[in-house]
Amino acid sequence: MPYRRVRAAVLCGLISTLAACTAPESADPGQPGGEAEAGAAGIGDPYYPNAGNGGYDATGYLVSVRYDPSSGRLRGDTTVTAEATHDLDRFNLDLRGFTVSSVEVDGEPARFSREDDFELVVTPARPLPKGSTFSTRVRYTGKPQGSADAQLGGDGWQRSPSGGAFVLGEPRSASYWYPVNEHPRDKATFELRASVPKGWSAVSIGRRGEESTKDGWTTTTWKEPDPVASYLTTIVIDRFSFQRGELEDGTPVLNAFAPGSDAMRDEAARVAEIVEFLAGRFGEYPATTAGGIYLGTDIGYSLETQGRPTYTRSADLDTVVHEIAHQWYGNSVSVRSWADICLNECFASYSQWLWAEHKEGDDLDARYRRAVEQLRDDAAFWAPRLYDMGAGHEFEGVYDKGILAIHALRQRIGDSAFDRVLREWPAKHREGNASWPQFEEYVQRSTGQDLRGFFDAWFRSTKRPPQPHLYPS
């Protein structure tokens, strides 16, 4: 997830001194219908049972939007390409708000209805056979919604001080602006065609394509060919200034600065340096682009949007290191369930320590010992579980306790084995999904060590680990 400085401040401070639609269906969309069955209204993550959807695997999104900052209205036309995982007579997409005017499946009109706050239920003209590839086109209009009850601050669609807008958030954000199978377990390619009034720019993930202006509207295309978890997509509309460059291997670097974000230019200038350093620890850079989107407002967190992280105004160099580290841990290798979030956040947080060790000569063993001793009696610090922490508690310990846990693992298995793990794990699961138990099994096989007691003490316990696991030899 994002690096939230207010969340990490305790440890960092300690160590720095260190619907309108056709007639709705009457049947339950989760029940079978004849020989074909309806896709489930949830992908199967026990933390968020209604997140995502079953019955199909999305393979690509083609999103076209037209947004007017003056009115705050968006017109969308999105095509979702997917493969049916069983004979399918009905399926769901996630979409929050908007008036849906039409839905087509493979070019034919489809019936649709809205259920709960975000389910768009689609019934194609004829059942879709298992293994078939099909496309669903949804046209919709309205004012995009936001939410103030997210764990790290507001998410969904938000307005910027300049009058522009952006969409950001984890674990959800995509459904606030296009229909989607909203869970990282179903990654897909992403292409955006965005139109905004002349004088504004729309920035997203992926490689920037053609841009044209006609009748007072500027249209820009963005294409991400690698599979991406939907919360890692974004659109930011503002009056940007741009810096362009390349990594040594030719990967394009694009930094987009919204009004009020100029203070981040020095950090942005170090993107290539940070990518090079992290690639030396984690392996080949996995993203197709690099750079950043720099907001002119402070929303309390930054987010690792794929290949081009989105930074809040208060972000610093540690934040940039953290979000780029997510391109390996979180983006290329994504969680299977939100219970596995330490795979993202614990390692991205620890990357900040690796950076300090390499660039500033920090003694991380000494830093670790100071932190452990000063937090010895802080029960609240040790209380969050780092694995299977419970829905709504995913981000309570991963930014601070998670750093100590990963360093303790390094001490336990040794530098050579730890370095091997850092590189092999993201390569093994590149562009896929993985779980925390899979990581534990992998480390034990890789090192030939029984680490069950260690992992339980650090990642499942709500108490300070006992001495043998706190200072492993």
Side-chain angles (χ1 to χ4, degrees):
M1 168 32 127
Y3 175 59
R4 189 183 186 190
R5 294 186 64 204
V6 66
R7 187 75 69 165
V10 172
L11 184 59
C12 290
L14 181 64
I15 64 180
S16 61
T17 62
L18 350 146
C21 62
T22 58
E25 297 295 308
S26 59
D28 183 338
Q31 299 301 314
E35 294 182 358
E37 296 183 357
I43 206 166
D45 187 337
Y47 271 38
Y48 300 97
N50 293 325
N53 304 284
Y56 65 92
D57 287 330
T59 58
Y61 294 94
L62 176 57
V63 181
S64 295
V65 296
R66 183 182 176 103
Y67 180 74
D68 185 356
S70 64
S71 67
R73 294 188 63 82
L74 180 146
R75 186 173 73 201
D77 185 346
T78 292
T79 298
V80 184
T81 304
E83 180 179 333
T85 56
H86 60 71
D87 291 343
L88 192 63
D89 65 0
R90 185 168 50 185
F91 59 92
N92 289 19
L93 291 165
D94 300 318
L95 182 65
R96 300 175 188 276
F98 297 108
T99 297
V100 176
S101 58
S102 68
V103 178
E104 297 174 3
V105 176
D106 290 337
E108 294 187 85
R111 290 186 296 169
F112 63 94
S113 63
R114 308 299 295 273
E115 295 186 358
D116 299 324
D117 293 330
F118 59 91
E119 299 285 359
L120 173 62
V121 185
V122 179
T123 303
R126 54 185 55 84
L128 304 165
K130 178 181 178 179
S132 64
T133 297
F134 64 97
S135 62
T136 306
R137 184 178 185 181
V138 182
R139 296 181 178 92
Y140 51 100
T141 58
K143 288 189 175 183
Q145 299 177 352
S147 174
D149 61 355
Q151 293 182 50
L152 294 169
D155 64 6
W157 195 269
Q158 303 179 60
R159 298 300 300 262
S160 58
S162 64
F166 58 93
V167 61
L168 211 62
E170 184 181 9
R172 64 193 187 198
S173 58
S175 60
Y176 287 96
W177 65 295
Y178 65 92
V180 59
N181 196 14
E182 193 164 40
H183 193 280
R185 196 179 297 179
D186 194 5
K187 300 163 77 167
T189 61
F190 175 82
E191 187 171 350
L192 172 66
R193 186 174 186 270
S195 298
V196 292
K198 184 178 179 180
W200 295 89
S201 297
V203 177
S204 187
I205 65 168
R207 296 197 178 210
R208 186 177 185 175
E210 297 179 356
E211 182 173 282
S212 61
T213 299
K214 182 179 180 181
D215 298 330
W217 289 82
T218 298
T219 301
T220 310
T221 59
W222 301 87
K223 187 172 185 178
E224 175 51 69
D226 287 344
V228 55
S230 59
Y231 77 93
L232 300 173
T233 67
T234 190
I235 183 172
V236 185
I237 297 152
D238 222 315
R239 302 181 186 276
F240 286 104
S241 60
F242 297 95
Q243 288 181 347
R244 297 173 177 83
E246 288 185 347
L247 302 180
E248 287 189 0
D249 64 0
T251 299
V253 178
L254 176 66
N255 290 312
F257 299 94
S261 67
D262 283 349
M264 286 291 295
R265 287 182 181 269
D266 287 345
E267 287 78 7
R270 303 187 70 176
V271 164
E273 176 190 3
I274 295 168
V275 169
E276 180 182 7
F277 165 72
L278 292 175
R281 302 306 302 265
F282 300 155
E284 180 184 5
Y285 182 61
T288 60
T289 59
I293 305 171
Y294 302 88
L295 302 176
T297 186
D298 188 358
I299 61 170
Y301 66 91
S302 298
L303 187 66
E304 60 272 20
T305 42
Q306 186 135 330
R308 188 171 295 114
T310 305
Y311 296 101
T312 190
R313 186 175 180 177
S314 61
D316 58 11
L317 187 62
D318 269 355
T319 312
V320 179
V321 172
H322 181 109
E323 304 304 345
I324 294 177
H326 273 307
Q327 306 309 309
W328 289 265
Y329 285 88
N331 293 18
S332 180
V333 184
S334 300
V335 296
R336 178 162 179 78
S337 165
W338 289 107
D340 305 311
I341 194 65
C342 189
L343 285 174
N344 297 9
E345 297 305 334
C346 294
F347 285 93
S349 297
Y350 192 69
S351 72
Q352 301 162 216
W353 276 33
L354 294 174
W355 175 264
E357 179 182 46
H358 177 74
K359 292 293 184 179
E360 301 165 18
D362 278 15
D363 182 338
L364 297 189
D365 287 342
R367 175 180 284 197
Y368 171 86
R369 287 192 297 272
R370 289 196 304 270
V372 167
E373 290 306 310
Q374 293 184 45
L375 293 162
R376 175 183 294 275
D377 300 319
D378 189 344
F381 177 86
W382 301 107
R385 290 185 175 90
L386 297 177
Y387 169 65
D388 203 11
M389 61 291 292
H393 301 282
E394 291 90 335
F395 306 109
E396 292 179 3
V398 288
Y399 300 112
D400 39 33
K401 180 181 174 182
I403 295 178
L404 299 186
I406 299 302
H407 190 73
L409 176 63
R410 178 180 177 179
Q411 291 181 317
R412 178 67 175 82
I413 66 177
D415 279 356
S416 178
F418 184 73
D419 290 344
R420 186 172 69 252
V421 165
L422 288 183
R423 295 179 67 88
E424 289 184 355
W425 174 257
K428 179 180 177 66
H429 297 280
R430 182 166 178 158
E431 295 185 359
N433 297 80
S435 70
W436 182 260
Q438 284 179 301
F439 177 77
E440 292 183 353
E441 292 171 7
Y442 158 73
V443 174
Q444 291 184 101
R445 287 197 310 270
S446 176
T447 62
Q449 299 182 41
D450 183 352
L451 300 170
R452 289 173 294 181
F454 174 88
F455 283 128
D456 286 347
W458 270 105
F459 295 91
R460 291 173 175 81
S461 175
T462 61
K463 297 181 180 179
R464 182 173 175 266
Q467 200 76 0
H469 299 308
L470 204 60
Y471 295 107
S473 56

